[in-house]
Amino acid sequence: MGLADVPARGKTVERRGRTAEPPPDGSRPLPGWRRYWPMYTAVSPFFILFAVFGVFPVGFSVYLSFMSWDGIGETRSVGWDNFAYLVTDSDFWQSIGNTLIIWILSTVPMVFLALVIAYALHTTVRFKAFYRVAYFVPNITSIVAMTLVLGSVFSDSSGLLNSALRAISSGEVGWLSDPWAMKVSVAAITVWRWVGYNAIICLAGLQAISSDVFEAAKVDGADDRQTFFRITVPMLRPVILFVAVTSTIGGLQLFTEPQVLFPVDDNGNVGGPGGEATTIVLYLYQQAFVFNRFGYGAAVGWALFLLIAVFSVINWRLIGGGDEDVPGTGKRKGKSSAR
């Protein structure tokens, strides 16, 4: 099209009702699916992989939860028997109790430490290198290697902690044999692993808060403690909610730390003495891959899914559910300690 064919400014070109002229070679336009198949082909690998490794395992686990299958032979339908047995399985309920205790022991100090580290990184001008190492080291180490090293620190007989306790004549703690100390050991490793990751998220939330707020608090005479608890923490509620929900999901799926600290013994038992460190996922692993009860393992997996959903809703209601937008008003309802 030459310059003379360009319509003048202000004039419109009538296109409605205009039929497309056939190509010069006389061929007809391709239908839609044939015209766009190169684009569909370009994006199809993602959807194929998602269907194979995402959708199919979920659907197959639903199917298996109503079956009895040892992983090799034929499947046999058992209806709701797996779920009925799940309700009366004392080992399953023990794994839920262990998981919740470890989750509380790890999540509460982890969120608090993440906030403190993020606040220190955001405000302090000294020891920044120390704080950067504090959150960076766990992210560059392997979780298995880290658990092996910390497992030697927690060793009952020759561990560093018990050696230090003996040096100050404070006795010994069965970090890998006492029921509560076992849970504390797993929780401590979890805190060390995730506190830096959550500190980075909290730091991003802190940097999004206007500096005018902190300067106004300083002008009003607020010290660092008051600024942290009355300004920083309330304004970080959405970030704390995100950290709490992701920590809930990760804590209820805890597997590597107890698996490495307390490996499977010759009888197929997991979670250390008495199964006191057996988490839900570790119990699922035992049933499916040690005892070859894949149907029952699938039922345990769906029970875990429901548990995560329930606790995520509880977290949302406790931390962020009271600050919902009021439609059409631009205001927020519910309690907010930031006011």
Side-chain angles (χ1 to χ4, degrees), residues 12 107 128:
T12 58
T107 300
K128 278 193 173 183

Side-chain angles (χ1 to χ4, degrees), residues 37 42 53 115 125 138 145 161 241 306 323 337:
W37 74 265
F53 297 103
L115 283 172
V125 294
L161 283 179
L241 172 64
L306 293 177
D323 279 346
S337 55

Side-chain angles (χ1 to χ4, degrees), residues 29-213:
L30 295 173
W33 68 272
R34 292 182 62 185
R35 193 185 323 167
Y36 298 114
W37 74 265
M39 286 74 88
Y40 291 140
T41 303
V43 299
S44 61
F46 166 76
F47 292 100
I48 293 174
L49 293 176
F50 178 72
V52 172
F53 297 103
V55 178
F56 173 74
V58 172
F60 191 59
S61 67
V62 174
Y63 169 76
L64 274 185
S65 64
F66 296 97
M67 297 289 168
S68 175
W69 189 45
D70 60 0
I72 298 177
E74 296 182 355
T75 57
R76 180 173 57 87
S77 176
V78 294
W80 293 90
D81 288 354
N82 285 330
F83 293 97
Y85 179 71
L86 191 71
V87 177
T88 61
D89 187 1
S90 60
D91 292 336
F92 170 71
W93 290 108
Q94 183 191 18
S95 68
I96 289 182
N98 294 338
T99 305
L100 294 180
I101 292 173
I102 295 173
W103 171 61
I104 293 173
L105 290 175
S106 60
T107 300
V108 175
M110 178 173 59
V111 173
F112 179 75
L113 287 175
L115 283 172
V116 171
I117 293 174
Y119 185 72
L121 283 170
H122 184 66
T123 58
T124 189
V125 294
R126 301 177 61 186
F127 305 116
K128 278 193 173 183
F130 169 77
Y131 292 123
R132 287 170 182 168
V133 171
Y135 74 76
F136 193 65
V137 167
N139 289 275
I140 61 173
T141 54
S142 166
I143 178 59
V144 175
M146 184 182 67
T147 305
L148 287 173
V149 172
L150 293 179
S152 63
V153 173
F154 287 116
S155 175
D156 290 351
S157 57
S158 58
L160 184 62
L161 283 179
N162 276 339
S163 299
L165 291 175
R166 284 193 293 268
I168 59 175
S169 302
S170 297
E172 298 179 354
V173 177
W175 299 105
L176 302 182
S177 57
D178 181 76
W180 275 97
M182 292 164 61
K183 297 178 179 64
V184 172
S185 303
V186 176
I189 298 175
T190 306
V191 170
W192 195 80
R193 178 186 179 190
W194 290 110
V195 67
Y197 172 81
N198 290 319
I200 294 173
I201 296 175
C202 294
L203 179 62
L206 272 174
Q207 291 176 343
I209 300 176
S210 173
S211 59
D212 296 341
V213 178

